[in-house]
Amino acid sequence: MAGFFITFEGIDCCGKTTQARKLVSYLRRRGHQVLLVREPGGERIAERIRRILLSEKNSEMSLISELLLYQSARAQLTERMILPALKEGKVVVCDRYADSSLAYQGYGRGLNKKMIKQLNQISTSGLVPDLTILLDLPVKISFRRKEKEKRKKDRLERERFEFHQRTRRGYLTIARQNRRRIKLIDGTKDIDETWQNVRKVVDSFFGKARR
Ligand SMILES: Nc1ncnc2c1ncn2[C@@H]1O[C@H](COP(=O)(O)OP(=O)(O)OP(=O)(O)O)[C@@H](O)[C@H]1O
Ligand SMILES: [Mg+2]
């Protein structure tokens, strides 16, 4: 029996981690074997790459270097964790995956999208999620949630805002181009209402998958 691969996508603070955790406990209650992982990370070497990527000390990192490190972490996670779990028939829930590279590095940073798609193809070994949940959120609300969390945050200048704006729009474009796989959910609703919407999408996915 082959498993199912479900990913969560969207800009910062749209609720990916919150909803992914809810989904995992829901699926476990229903008897599924579930593996929850996150990107970048989810595997020993990939977690080390994550530290390099997220460290504030590495501000001189080039865009290409950043792109390749994300891809490298993804290759590691896919080969060592995701593919084996799917083979065992587990449901794998991943907090961000290849769509993040296209949205952030492609649409956000403006790197060549064709190149990113090729790199995604390599780092995923051609694996495509069965279902992707895109939690859409206006950048203003994302920034507000970040402030509320009192997360460390660099300057809130215009450029930063526009980068996230391009990323959000990129996600919406990717969703339009992959209507069957990517389900768009309004991320502005409260946590419980959002979860009900996620649950509906997942129930309908499993309903169809069983048929
Ligand atoms: N629907 C919601 N309404 C209001 N606040 C929310 C909602 N969902 C999550 N939050 C809050 O917003 C913050 C970010 O949520 P969460 O960590 O789930 O987002 P994320 O998409 O995983 O963010 P990141 O991309 O930074 O990892 C948390 O403080 C969380 O409690
Ligand atoms: Mg998160």
Side-chain angles (χ1 to χ4, degrees), residues 39-206:
E39 266 214 1
E43 187 272 346
R44 191 180 67 86
I45 296 171
E47 285 291 333
R48 298 188 68 171
I49 297 173
R50 178 188 180 92
R51 254 183 278 154
I52 297 172
L53 278 165
L54 303 187
S55 168
E56 284 167 44
K57 282 185 220 145
N58 294 337
S59 56
E60 80 274 27
M61 190 181 292
S62 81
L63 294 185
I64 294 294
S65 178
E66 180 190 59
L67 171 70
L68 293 175
L69 282 172
Y70 275 109
Q71 297 291 351
S72 180
R74 178 168 308 132
Q76 201 60 32
L77 176 69
T78 304
E79 267 185 54
R80 306 241 328 133
M81 305 295 291
I82 300 176
L83 289 174
L86 290 174
K87 252 192 181 162
E88 290 167 15
K90 290 182 181 155
V91 179
V92 177
V93 177
C94 194
D95 192 338
R96 290 194 180 286
Y97 198 59
D99 294 316
S100 284
S101 290
L102 192 56
Y104 281 84
Q105 272 74 45
Y107 289 92
R109 302 249 195 250
L111 295 179
N112 184 288
K113 295 181 194 67
K114 202 175 154 202
M115 167 184 71
I116 295 173
K117 285 181 191 171
Q118 284 171 343
L119 290 171
N120 277 346
Q121 174 78 21
I122 295 167
S123 64
T124 60
S125 306
L127 177 70
V128 178
D130 297 296
L131 172 67
T132 295
I133 290 163
L134 171 59
L135 297 166
D136 179 52
L137 193 70
V139 176
K140 258 192 190 165
I141 303 181
S142 157
F143 279 17
R144 227 181 283 148
R145 284 187 192 172
K146 254 184 246 182
E147 262 167 21
K148 216 172 154 189
E149 263 202 329
K150 290 206 190 82
R151 273 198 227 172
K152 248 183 284 161
K153 189 160 40 79
D154 33 319
R155 297 141 290 139
L156 264 187
E157 79 265 330
R158 238 184 120 55
E159 200 193 335
R160 236 181 84 78
F161 187 89
E162 277 167 6
F163 165 68
H164 289 283
Q165 187 80 287
R166 288 194 298 274
T167 303
R168 179 197 181 195
R169 292 201 182 118
Y171 266 128
L172 293 171
T173 303
I174 298 167
R176 272 197 301 277
Q177 292 165 348
N178 297 272
R179 281 183 200 279
R180 262 220 248 145
R181 169 174 67 91
I182 303 181
K183 301 300 172 197
L184 186 66
I185 286 181
D186 181 358
T188 66
K189 308 291 184 204
D190 69 31
I191 289 176
D192 285 336
E193 192 175 345
T194 304
W195 163 241
Q196 291 313 317
N197 292 330
V198 171
R199 194 183 52 75
K200 271 179 219 157
V201 164
V202 169
D203 283 345
S204 137
F205 168 76
F206 277 102

Side-chain angles (χ1 to χ4, degrees), residues 15-30:
K16 297 178 294 299
T17 303
T18 306
Q19 298 298 327
R21 286 188 183 141
K22 283 184 173 291
L23 175 61
V24 167
S25 35
Y26 176 72
L27 291 174
R28 285 190 178 138
R29 279 199 306 276
R30 301 190 43 169

